[in-house]
Amino acid sequence: MIDHLGKPIKSCGTICKRQPFTVISNGVELCDRQIVKTRINLVGDWSFIRGTRVVAKPNATRSVHYSKSSRIQASWFDGSQLVSSVFTLGTVAVLPFYTLMVLAPKSELTKQCMESNIPYVVLGILYAYLLYLSWTPETLKLIFATKYLLPELSSIGKMFSSELTLASAWIHLLVVDLFAARQVFEDGQQNQVETRHSVSFCLFFCPIGILAHVITKAMTKTSRKEGHGL
């Protein structure tokens, strides 16, 4: 082949130089679950006639899974399931005792169940476990928020913004309410006072249940005195 100046031109195969070189690209996504590493081979092809040509030949892409976020999500999911299960379990566990006190107050089975301390031990252990899980370095600061070491409504609201803390508080209320209901029931049995309505209030409105029992007991004593007077 001859160019416009009349000089021979050698074949492209003799003057073309192919020099492969490699570019490594590492893509890292911190907020995702995957780290992608891609290796690309760029091959340079140059000649007088065609100029420079670059060909990209990507190699196989390797994906490295980053499991930290998935573990966090799994941990959160397990914690949420635990809170829901404990909430339901604690609520269902106390219902048989209230049922016996309301429907069969004079039954021997009811008396034996109410004399037992097993439900308080079980619920107490469950409460201690939830309290341990929900405890944070800020818990004491939220409880004793003022300079007089007294709680504030806003700090208590912030503390109970956690479902785990709410679950522990709910178990705490169930234990205290059941204990108060037992006291009302036993006092009613000793003094022959009707307690079914008071015990029922103690399940969710414990102070009202105690107040109802005090009023009922006073009215019963008054009516008995009047009956004896007649």
Side-chain angles (χ1 to χ4, degrees), residues 52-186:
T52 302
R53 182 178 63 179
V54 179
V55 180
K57 295 182 179 181
N59 288 343
T61 301
R62 183 178 63 178
S63 297
V64 180
H65 291 279
Y66 186 65
S67 59
K68 182 177 181 180
S69 60
S70 61
R71 286 199 301 268
I72 293 175
Q73 290 181 357
S75 175
W76 178 87
F77 181 72
D78 294 340
S80 179
Q81 269 193 336
L82 174 65
V83 171
S84 179
S85 300
V86 168
F87 181 86
T88 304
L89 179 62
T91 305
V92 173
V94 300
L95 291 179
F97 299 97
Y98 284 95
T99 302
L100 289 174
M101 286 187 289
V102 172
L103 299 182
K106 297 183 179 182
S107 171
E108 190 65 28
L109 176 62
T110 303
K111 294 179 181 179
Q112 291 178 357
C113 290
M114 299 317 299
E115 290 175 357
S116 174
N117 292 321
I118 294 179
Y120 305 100
V121 173
V122 174
L123 291 175
I125 293 174
L126 187 59
Y127 168 74
Y129 176 66
L130 289 176
L131 183 64
Y132 167 75
L133 292 180
S134 62
W135 193 270
T136 63
E138 295 183 354
T139 302
L140 287 178
K141 295 180 181 179
L142 293 175
I143 295 176
F144 306 107
T146 65
K147 62 180 180 180
Y148 302 106
L149 300 181
L150 295 174
E152 288 183 341
L153 183 61
S154 59
S155 61
I156 295 300
K158 183 179 179 181
M159 184 174 65
F160 282 104
S161 62
S162 169
E163 287 187 354
L164 199 57
T165 305
L166 280 176
S168 64
W170 178 250
I171 299 299
H172 177 277
L173 289 175
L174 290 177
V175 175
V176 174
D177 291 353
L178 181 60
F179 185 82
R182 185 177 75 166
Q183 295 299 111
V184 168
F185 174 77
E186 291 180 348

Side-chain angles (χ1 to χ4, degrees), residues 4 10-11 18 48 56 59 96 108 124-125 129 136 143 161 183 213-214 219 228-229:
H4 64 285
K10 295 182 180 181
S11 174
R18 300 174 62 88
F48 285 110
N59 288 343
E108 190 65 28
I125 293 174
Y129 176 66
T136 63
I143 295 176
S161 62
Q183 295 299 111
H213 176 65
V214 171
M219 292 176 62
H228 287 303

Side-chain angles (χ1 to χ4, degrees), residues 19-78:
Q19 297 178 350
F21 54 94
T22 302
V23 175
I24 300 175
S25 175
N26 294 332
V28 180
E29 296 180 5
L30 295 178
C31 296
D32 201 354
R33 302 178 184 177
Q34 193 172 10
I35 298 176
V36 181
K37 295 183 178 181
T38 307
R39 183 181 297 272
I40 303 176
N41 289 333
L42 300 180
V43 180
D45 190 1
W46 177 87
S47 69
F48 285 110
I49 298 177
R50 292 177 296 177
T52 302
R53 182 178 63 179
V54 179
V55 180
K57 295 182 179 181
N59 288 343
T61 301
R62 183 178 63 178
S63 297
V64 180
H65 291 279
Y66 186 65
S67 59
K68 182 177 181 180
S69 60
S70 61
R71 286 199 301 268
I72 293 175
Q73 290 181 357
S75 175
W76 178 87
F77 181 72
D78 294 340

